[in-house]
Amino acid sequence: MRIRSSLPQIPELASIIRLWPLLLVSTWHIQHAASQNTVPTPQLDLDQLKRVGLAGDFDAISVYTTQGQSESASRDGQQAILKALPDGGFSQLALADAHITAMCPYVDKSGQFLGVVVGGNFTTLGNTSNTQSIALFDPSNYNVIALPGIEGTVSSLLCDQDTNAVYVGGQFKAAGSNNAIAWVGGAPKSSPNAQGGQWTNLPFAGFNAPVTSITKAPNGHIVFGGSFSGLGNTTAPEPRDSQIINLSAAQVTATSSSDNSDFNDARSILCPKNGTSGPGRTWLLADNQPGYWQATTHFGYIPTKLRLWNANQDGRGVRTFRFFDVDNAGILNLTTTDPSTGDLISCSSQCHLAQNDSNSFQDFSFVNEVGVSTFRIEISEWYGSAGGLNGIELFEDDIFAYAINDFNEPTCANLSTPSTATVNGPWQNLSVPGAQSDYLSINLASADADSASVVFKPDISQAGNYSITVFTPGCRADNTCLNRGEVNITANLGSSGSTPAKPLSTTIFQSNDFDKYDQVFMTYVEASSDSFRPSVTLTPVAGQANQKVVASRVKFAPMSNTGGLNGLFDYDPNRAVTNTDFSQSAINRAGTELKQGASITSLSTEGNTIYAGGKFSDDVFENIMAFRNNNATSLQDSGLNGEVFSLYTTNDVLYLGGNFTNAASGNVDGLSNIASWSYSHNEWVSLGAGLNGRVDAVVPLQLNVTGNQPETTITFNGDFDQIIAFGSNPARSVSGFAVWVPSRKNWLQNLDVVRMALAGQLSTSVTLPNNTQYVAGSLGSRGEAISGAVSLEASSSAVTLGSLGANIRPAGGQTPLRKRALTTVDGIDGVVTGHFYVHDDLNVTVLGGHFAATATNGSVINNLIFINGSQNNEVSGLPSGLGENATFLAMDTHETTLFAGGSLSGEISNANVNGLIAVDLASGGYATNQPPALNGDNVIVNAVAPRPDSSDIWIGGSFETAGSLGCPSVCVFQSSNNHWMRPGTALGGVVTSLVWTSNSKLTAAGNMTVNGRRTFIANYDTKKQQWSTVATESVPGPVTAFALEKSDASRFWIAGTASNGSTYLMERNGDTFKSIGDRFGPNTDLRGLQVLRLSKSHDSSDLLDNDQTLLVTGLLELPNFGNASAALFDGQNLQPFILSTTANGEPGSLSQLFSQNVNQVSGSGSRHSKGIVILVALCAALGCIFLIILAGIITDRVQRRRAGYSSIPNAYNDKHSNIGRVPPEHLFSQLGGNGRSGPPTV
């Protein structure tokens, strides 16, 4: 609530991507430098699908590859320090909450690089708050160091190694200087490389109007350019202490007040009535008691004078007191004139207040400027028996007008023209902790922007030159950053005399994170009177939906100056005293000779020449001139016929941007708002035929356009929407950003290189000593510049997206897909569905949705297009018959006939169609026989599912009859006889998905009833010809997306919107549904699901096989990430996969994946009991044992055969063949002993 003094007393200074941008005015989407770790490539196996496409509503699309990559929109007015990445994106090094207007590399005298000095009108840069328009950025670690002390906007910077200084110009107040100051001495004390750097006043105390450009002259002088007419400084108001601080609305408390009710009201002294004492006018302490009187306001101020009336009540009064600052817990030093001696004396803890009978007041001046909102008058000694006061007033030098009238000068002061405000519209007072004051706020969603305004009327007692500053509360404190926008500031400051009668006007953004102040005007202001009141009016800029506008206060600061200049000033940093003899410098002299009101907006030095561009003229110069050898010279044809806003020099060329159409003499064609000047040829050179609108900034950008080495391209940024046609190059639509490629002498948009989408603008650039380039602005790469549909390819190392060969643009208002409604298609834009038909010699890609496209013959085709790969990718559409408002949502083919359904109607071959049409892909026209029209309150076909091995086409959606047949929700078109057939009689409701799980079984999803029983999933058996329900009591809402995980539907995925508006995603396994949890933000619109195979397994999960992943498409809001158009779920983690944006900068969306082949998921998902599993395992074990034994036997037989073993015969051909050879008696005769007969011998 308090204002701290931020203006210290300071001394004076005595001494490799290839790009084709799709140019869009919107916000940037970039990668954060703090987290540039690459994301592992999804190991998708898409081989079985062959060709794969993604359909949606987008104009730029990319694969999520880097942590920090995002498609989320930034707030209006935000810019950042950026660095180009090899993949065509831009790394965000530091984000600002407002504009960055200038950067320069700070190198000290020793050659040490200290960082990049960054200027603008921001209050936050990177992770550092309260940076207030200027900061030091360290590229090595992305740290930001604030350089406090500037109030206003920094427009230009010059880092000068020779003087070890950074020269700063803009529209600001800093210590003893206006609009120009220097930072000298190196890095600040808060830097790790502290060198004691500090702000240093320039000898001439700045200028009386803004500085817009600074350059270093060849002789070492510093040249300032702007709209100033003289040197000058800000002086205090005359007389000082001119504005009364309103304490009437303060919260007043006191301690030890008197017991006498006539004298114990602490508020009685707020509006002193000539200091007269008495009941109701005097506040007293209790007898012989110290105490204090305290006031707390809801706004901060810097008091310069305290006025006290002593009590003089029955001899009572204050003898000694002190002024205690409660906010800072400190005693403030005061000075006063001793009434008895007339001497100026100082005091702090014991300030003496005189007691006399004249009822006069005593004034005390504050020694230091300190912000206050709560203070105490602490009374320690008193006259008589008690202390007391008759009155108190506080004064300040600053002249403020507050939006809240309670903060303006008090009405009881009886001023003739007190500061005041007039409020129109339902504004509300807002008190936010941490804000410097309460303020007004209005939500334009509930008010008319044309009638909402706040008119500030200050109390200007003296006419003269004033700087006017508008204060804007930060948006973080009241959590309105996403809804803050832009406001108009209009000033009526004089009715006659030297002040123009025409009001001054400008616009400012209110999207600052922290409190900021914009110095909007520096001009003559007429004094307030009964007949005229100066005023500043704040109104919203029209056309901003759901905008939060705030209004706080406006400050007027008087100025004085030393005149004689006219937009140019040549400063010699080696002189301690400024030479006001401006005739000694060709630069100063040239400025004084220009017509009054000259404005220099840009300066550039090349070799021994300084070029100055702006809005000026005389007999020789027109808006551009050069200074060489202490002489001012004109360029060819006297210059240009309109204002020059920006200059950039490189190699042999000076590039210019502004608001001009030709050379001043009108002899050069093609100089429409941009031009180049050739140094070597001293002549104008056109850049094509120019641009069709104003150019505000010319900024170089390093791009690898046509080779392996980056080259300097020239970007033009401003208010234009077309590159003008020239030669054989047609006109190109752009939105305030265009890139000229000097090496090709053409626009980047005209070059045949890989298309990438860039969005936003650039404001400035800087090149570091190591030749690294940084740029600043809102520019970002959004990926490939493709609209509506892309091809998808995957390998182990990368996932790539490509064009399908169609030039698509949205047909509607660029509204992203919202929560999917089952019975309406309002708000759907882009491509919703697609189909690849490849058979025999016919190769056709079909895209359907709600969009417009350009056919090969140049005509415009709508909503359904054919890309004929058999005829060199010829693009064509349907013949007449359907309205342009048709929206196609589903399609499939039977033989060469395409059946396309959605929200559509028309007349084809004298027959009415509604919801579904048939197209002959071979001829490219309508099929001879069209399905009889569907009927119902709001006919929509959401699903087309031809039955396998049949000519029947099954459709699902929202309808009641098909032709004359009652056939709600799901109906069968028999293409062989052109008739409709109703499958069963039990189904009703709305169907969003149809999937065949076999030749005879169909699964439907949506919001249905079967025999009057509500369900979100139903099955149909064609053999039994009946519908059955799936128990979905645990499903929180209708199903809008469905995908099989197992081909028999034993496991599948569903998604939709719950009854509380949240998005759910669930898997069904057997009879159980299981949710993945709260993974999506409230703005999610989930539209498609698909289970895909992986080439590399992930960790096991109960929800998915480890070789599967779930593709989720739509407009997804992922917590802790932002928006994505597709994500992959592995059963545990939900990872962003595809990011996209639309042409207006909003997040894009994907509707679904479509492929040439049907996605074949694995078969059964059933799981067996433990007994069966054990039995199978036992059988497997026995089988293994048998195989081992058999292998052993075979091995043994083989080894024996190899060793020469043979089988023993077990049969003879002649059993008696050997008996005749040896008589038996001979054999048996030997059994006895010695041939004797008889029994054998043992």
Side-chain angles (χ1 to χ4, degrees):
M1 193 73 70
R2 61 182 180 272
I3 304 174
R4 295 182 181 272
S5 176
S6 60
L7 304 177
Q9 299 297 316
I10 55 179
E12 291 189 349
L13 177 66
S15 14
I16 289 197
I17 59 174
R18 297 172 177 261
L19 298 172
W20 181 9
L22 171 66
L23 306 172
L24 316 167
V25 171
S26 63
T27 51
W28 43 260
H29 308 288
I30 56 182
Q31 300 174 6
H32 298 273
S35 56
Q36 291 180 8
N37 298 324
T38 57
V39 175
T41 300
Q43 301 298 302
L44 300 179
D45 181 3
L46 304 179
D47 291 345
Q48 61 141 337
L49 302 179
K50 292 193 175 180
R51 297 182 66 191
V52 179
L54 294 170
D57 176 23
F58 55 85
D59 296 293
I61 189 167
S62 64
V63 179
Y64 177 67
T65 58
T66 307
Q67 290 182 8
Q69 187 179 349
S70 171
E71 67 177 34
S72 301
S74 68
R75 304 203 310 265
D76 286 342
Q78 284 189 330
Q79 293 187 342
I81 303 173
L82 308 169
K83 180 182 178 182
L85 296 175
D87 64 356
F90 286 86
S91 169
Q92 174 189 302
L93 307 182
L95 175 65
D97 63 346
H99 289 173
I100 296 173
T101 55
M103 297 189 295
C104 69
Y106 193 7
V107 180
D108 66 12
K109 278 191 171 182
S110 68
Q112 180 183 2
F113 174 60
L114 303 178
V116 177
V117 182
V118 184
N121 66 342
F122 47 81
T123 63
T124 298
L125 183 63
N127 294 323
T128 302
S129 59
N130 293 320
T131 48
Q132 294 297 351
S133 304
I134 192 165
L136 184 65
F137 170 70
D138 187 347
S140 65
N141 53 23
Y142 311 125
N143 286 340
V144 175
I145 301 168
L147 304 177
I150 286 182
E151 294 182 2
T153 300
V154 171
S155 301
S156 55
L157 295 168
L158 173 67
C159 293
D160 183 38
Q161 183 177 358
D162 295 334
T163 58
N164 202 27
V166 180
Y167 297 92
V168 182
Q171 193 170 8
F172 57 78
K173 176 183 178 182
S177 291
N178 266 328
N179 306 314
I181 198 169
W183 178 273
V184 178
K189 294 179 181 179
S190 56
S191 170
N193 301 317
Q195 297 175 320
Q198 61 180 335
W199 290 115
T200 303
N201 283 324
L202 297 168
F204 49 88
F207 302 93
N208 68 340
V211 172
T212 52
S213 187
I214 309 174
T215 191
K216 187 174 184 179
N219 61 0
H221 290 191
I222 309 300
V223 181
F224 295 86
S227 56
F228 48 82
S229 59
L231 307 177
N233 63 338
T234 298
T235 61
E238 292 292 344
R240 285 175 53 83
D241 317 316
S242 63
Q243 184 150 325
I244 302 175
I245 297 169
N246 192 346
L247 300 178
S248 299
Q251 178 184 352
V252 177
T253 58
T255 61
S256 304
S257 294
S258 172
D259 294 333
N260 189 334
S261 60
D262 289 335
F263 298 100
N264 64 1
D265 183 5
R267 297 188 62 85
S268 64
I269 66 173
L270 287 176
C271 281
K273 300 171 180 59
N274 298 320
T276 304
S277 61
R281 297 182 176 183
T282 301
W283 167 76
L284 295 176
L285 289 171
D287 289 353
N288 300 312
Q289 291 290 328
Y292 65 77
W293 184 95
Q294 177 175 303
T296 300
T297 63
H298 290 274
F299 61 98
Y301 50 87
I302 300 176
T304 57
K305 184 172 69 177
L306 168 68
R307 177 171 291 174
L308 294 175
W309 283 263
N310 215 337
N312 283 334
Q313 178 67 37
D314 300 328
R316 294 176 173 85
V318 175
R319 182 186 296 273
T320 60
F321 73 96
R322 64 181 182 182
F323 188 97
F324 185 77
D325 175 11
V326 177
D327 302 311
N328 298 299
I331 301 169
L332 300 190
N333 296 326
L334 304 173
T335 62
T336 187
T337 301
D338 189 334
S340 60
T341 65
D343 296 334
L344 184 67
I345 59 175
S346 61
C347 63
S348 57
S349 61
Q350 290 186 328
C351 293
H352 182 80
L353 182 61
Q355 174 85 308
N356 55 57
D357 296 330
S358 63
N359 294 325
S360 62
F361 54 80
Q362 185 172 343
D363 287 342
F364 295 83
S365 297
F366 290 86
V367 175
N368 300 309
E369 291 186 349
V370 179
V372 174
S373 63
T374 300
F375 70 91
R376 292 174 185 169
I377 303 297
E378 298 184 344
I379 302 169
S380 55
E381 293 182 308
W382 48 89
Y383 297 104
S385 57
L389 295 170
N390 278 349
I392 181 171
E393 284 183 341
L394 278 178
F395 298 82
E396 61 184 338
D397 285 349
D398 297 327
I399 301 173
F400 280 107
Y402 288 87
I404 298 176
N405 270 311
D406 284 345
F407 302 165
N408 287 314
E409 292 178 294
T411 56
C412 63
N414 295 320
L415 302 173
S416 60
T417 57
S419 59
T420 185
T422 302
V423 177
N424 299 304
W427 296 79
Q428 296 179 339
N429 285 23
L430 203 60
S431 180
V432 178
Q436 291 184 355
S437 71
D438 291 2
Y439 52 90
L440 297 183
S441 174
I442 189 172
N443 185 356
L444 289 187
S446 60
D448 186 355
D450 295 334
S451 62
S453 67
V454 176
V455 182
F456 300 87
K457 297 179 180 179
D459 183 5
I460 303 296
S461 59
Q462 296 179 352
N465 292 324
Y466 286 80
S467 66
I468 302 171
T469 302
V470 175
F471 289 75
T472 304
C475 62
R476 280 196 188 180
D478 61 7
N479 196 30
T480 60
C481 292
L482 295 178
N483 302 106
R484 292 282 190 92
E486 195 174 8
V487 294
N488 297 306
I489 305 296
T490 305
N492 290 280
L493 305 174
S495 59
S496 61
S498 59
T499 303
K502 182 180 179 181
L504 302 176
S505 64
T506 187
T507 60
I508 61 173
F509 281 98
Q510 294 195 324
S511 55
N512 44 289
D513 286 344
F514 299 94
D515 292 358
K516 73 162 182 174
Y517 18 80
D518 290 285
Q519 197 174 59
V520 290
F521 308 117
M522 303 183 79
T523 186
Y524 179 85
V525 180
E526 188 171 329
S528 302
S529 66
D530 294 338
S531 60
F532 175 76
R533 290 295 303 272
S535 65
V536 173
T537 302
L538 183 150
T539 59
V541 171
Q544 300 177 100
N546 194 28
Q547 182 193 4
K548 281 279 188 180
V549 178
V550 293
S552 176
R553 63 194 190 278
V554 176
K555 176 183 176 181
F556 287 70
M559 302 175 59
S560 65
N561 66 81
T562 302
L565 298 175
N566 203 9
L568 282 168
F569 180 63
D570 181 0
Y571 165 60
D572 184 355
N574 296 316
R575 298 189 60 170
V577 179
T578 301
N579 184 2
T580 57
D581 182 3
F582 301 145
S583 64
Q584 299 299 312
S585 165
I587 294 174
N588 293 339
R589 186 171 61 249
T592 61
E593 293 174 354
L594 295 175
K595 292 180 180 179
Q596 193 66 30
S599 174
I600 306 298
T601 55
S602 187
L603 296 166
S604 180
T605 301
E606 174 65 21
N608 64 345
T609 304
I610 299 174
Y611 294 88
K615 184 178 182 181
F616 55 83
S617 65
D618 67 1
D619 295 336
V620 180
F621 311 118
E622 290 285 343
N623 303 306
I624 181 74
M625 59 183 173
F627 300 95
R628 185 183 299 111
N629 300 325
N630 207 32
N631 289 306
T633 61
S634 173
L635 275 63
Q636 180 190 14
D637 298 311
S638 299
L640 297 168
N641 67 352
E643 186 172 1
V644 175
F645 292 127
S646 183
L647 302 174
Y648 176 73
T649 183
T650 179
N651 299 327
D652 185 47
V653 180
L654 176 70
Y655 292 94
L656 306 90
N659 191 15
F660 49 83
T661 59
N662 209 318
S665 61
N667 293 327
V668 183
D669 294 330
L671 303 185
S672 180
N673 301 298
I674 58 172
S676 67
W677 173 258
S678 171
Y679 297 132
S680 58
H681 295 91
N682 284 323
E683 64 180 8
W684 294 111
V685 179
S686 63
L687 305 177
L691 304 169
N692 73 335
R694 188 189 72 245
V695 171
D696 299 317
V698 182
V699 181
L701 179 63
Q702 292 285 324
L703 296 179
N704 183 15
V705 179
T706 56
N708 295 323
Q709 292 297 323
E711 63 178 284
T712 299
T713 63
I714 308 301
T715 72
F716 295 92
N717 308 264
D719 186 16
F720 52 87
D721 58 17
Q722 187 184 78
I723 297 173
I724 299 174
F726 70 101
S728 60
N729 299 282
R732 299 284 185 181
S733 295
V734 293
S735 289
F737 181 80
V739 183
W740 179 261
V741 183
S743 64
R744 300 287 290 271
K745 296 182 179 179
N746 207 334
W747 297 102
L748 190 57
Q749 288 82 348
N750 291 329
L751 301 182
D752 184 18
V753 294
V754 177
R755 298 183 65 194
M756 295 292 287
L758 297 179
Q761 294 186 341
L762 295 178
S763 57
T764 187
S765 68
V766 64
T767 301
L768 307 189
N770 63 0
N771 290 324
T772 299
Q773 185 196 48
Y774 295 146
V775 293
S778 58
L779 187 67
S781 170
R782 295 197 176 117
E784 297 193 48
I786 306 174
S787 296
V790 293
S791 63
L792 174 68
E793 297 181 358
S795 66
S796 60
S797 59
V799 174
T800 57
L801 305 173
S803 173
L804 291 174
N807 182 14
I808 294 172
R809 63 181 185 271
Q814 284 287 7
T815 303
L817 293 175
R818 59 191 186 188
K819 291 281 186 184
R820 185 175 183 181
L822 302 182
T823 59
T824 178
V825 294
D826 291 344
I828 291 182
D829 272 334
V831 180
V832 179
T833 183
H835 184 79
F836 294 110
Y837 183 86
V838 181
H839 187 72
D840 295 334
D841 295 331
L842 193 58
N843 178 2
V844 180
T845 300
V846 188
L847 301 177
H850 186 63
F851 57 86
T854 303
T856 301
N857 62 10
S859 64
V860 176
I861 48 181
N862 295 294
N863 308 324
L864 191 69
I865 65 171
F866 308 96
I867 307 167
N868 195 332
S870 308
Q871 298 181 9
N872 297 320
N873 287 332
E874 179 185 71
V875 179
S876 60
L878 289 172
S880 60
L882 298 179
E884 291 186 4
N885 60 346
T887 301
F888 289 90
L889 302 176
M891 62 178 67
D892 211 330
T893 54
H894 173 64
E895 296 179 345
T896 62
T897 301
L898 173 78
F899 293 91
S903 175
L904 54 98
S905 61
E907 183 177 321
I908 300 173
S909 300
N910 298 320
N912 291 330
V913 294
N914 194 8
L916 183 72
I917 63 170
V919 179
D920 183 1
L921 294 179
S923 65
Y926 293 114
T928 302
N929 296 318
Q930 291 293 315
L934 302 171
N935 296 288
D937 291 338
N938 188 13
V939 173
I940 298 175
V941 172
N942 291 315
V944 177
R947 182 180 175 183
D949 301 325
S950 169
S951 61
D952 293 345
I953 310 301
W954 292 59
I955 64 167
S958 173
F959 46 85
E960 296 298 328
T961 64
S964 59
L965 176 68
C967 192
S969 309
V970 172
C971 206
V972 183
F973 178 66
Q974 297 177 313
S975 61
S976 59
N977 57 23
N978 207 48
H979 285 88
W980 289 105
M981 181 188 74
R982 182 177 183 180
T985 60
L987 186 71
V990 180
V991 172
T992 56
S993 298
L994 291 176
V995 177
W996 288 98
T997 58
S998 71
N999 288 3
S1000 61
K1001 292 183 178 180
L1002 177 78
T1003 296
N1007 187 14
M1008 301 164 289
T1009 59
V1010 176
N1011 290 321
R1013 179 186 176 186
R1014 189 185 186 192
T1015 186
F1016 302 137
I1017 305 290
N1019 294 321
Y1020 185 75
D1021 190 323
T1022 60
K1023 295 179 179 179
K1024 298 178 180 180
Q1025 295 186 0
Q1026 66 181 20
W1027 289 96
S1028 60
T1029 63
V1030 174
T1032 56
E1033 289 80 6
S1034 60
V1035 178
V1039 175
T1040 58
F1042 177 92
L1044 291 177
E1045 183 179 341
K1046 299 297 180 181
S1047 61
D1048 62 353
S1050 59
R1051 298 176 71 179
F1052 57 78
W1053 287 87
I1054 59 173
T1057 302
S1059 57
N1060 63 2
S1062 64
T1063 298
Y1064 70 84
L1065 177 59
M1066 307 178 79
E1067 185 219 26
R1068 183 177 188 265
N1069 185 355
D1071 296 327
T1072 304
F1073 285 95
K1074 184 175 182 180
S1075 171
I1076 72 168
D1078 189 12
R1079 301 292 187 100
F1080 302 99
N1083 296 316
T1084 294
D1085 177 16
L1086 197 159
R1087 296 190 60 84
L1089 298 173
Q1090 190 84 268
V1091 175
L1092 300 176
R1093 291 180 180 177
L1094 294 174
S1095 59
K1096 182 178 180 180
S1097 298
H1098 55 68
D1099 294 338
S1100 61
S1101 166
D1102 293 337
L1103 295 176
L1104 283 166
D1105 292 346
N1106 57 8
D1107 64 345
Q1108 290 180 323
T1109 187
L1110 179 66
L1111 174 69
V1112 184
T1113 56
L1115 195 160
L1116 311 178
E1117 184 180 19
L1118 306 181
N1120 302 319
F1121 176 78
N1123 293 105
S1125 302
L1128 294 173
F1129 181 64
D1130 63 2
Q1132 297 180 4
N1133 302 308
L1134 186 65
Q1135 178 80 4
F1137 178 43
I1138 302 293
L1139 309 181
S1140 71
T1141 55
T1142 61
N1144 62 2
E1146 296 293 329
S1149 61
L1150 288 178
S1151 180
Q1152 61 179 255
L1153 176 146
F1154 59 97
S1155 57
Q1156 178 179 338
N1157 288 346
V1158 176
N1159 187 17
Q1160 299 292 338
V1161 293
S1162 55
S1164 174
S1166 60
R1167 296 177 179 176
H1168 301 287
S1169 66
K1170 289 184 178 179
I1172 295 177
V1173 172
I1174 293 172
L1175 179 61
V1176 172
L1178 179 61
C1179 292
L1182 292 175
C1184 290
I1185 293 172
F1186 172 76
L1187 291 175
I1188 292 172
I1189 293 174
L1190 180 61
I1193 294 173
I1194 293 173
T1195 301
D1196 179 70
R1197 296 297 297 268
V1198 171
Q1199 289 177 344
R1200 286 177 176 273
R1201 184 175 297 277
R1202 289 176 178 174
Y1205 291 96
S1206 60
S1207 301
I1208 299 175
N1210 56 8
Y1212 299 95
N1213 294 327
D1214 185 1
K1215 295 189 289 182
H1216 306 286
S1217 58
N1218 289 323
I1219 294 178
R1221 297 178 183 180
V1222 181
E1225 61 273 18
H1226 288 189
L1227 293 174
F1228 290 117
S1229 65
Q1230 301 298 322
L1231 295 177
N1234 301 317
R1236 299 189 301 265
S1237 62
T1241 301
V1242 178

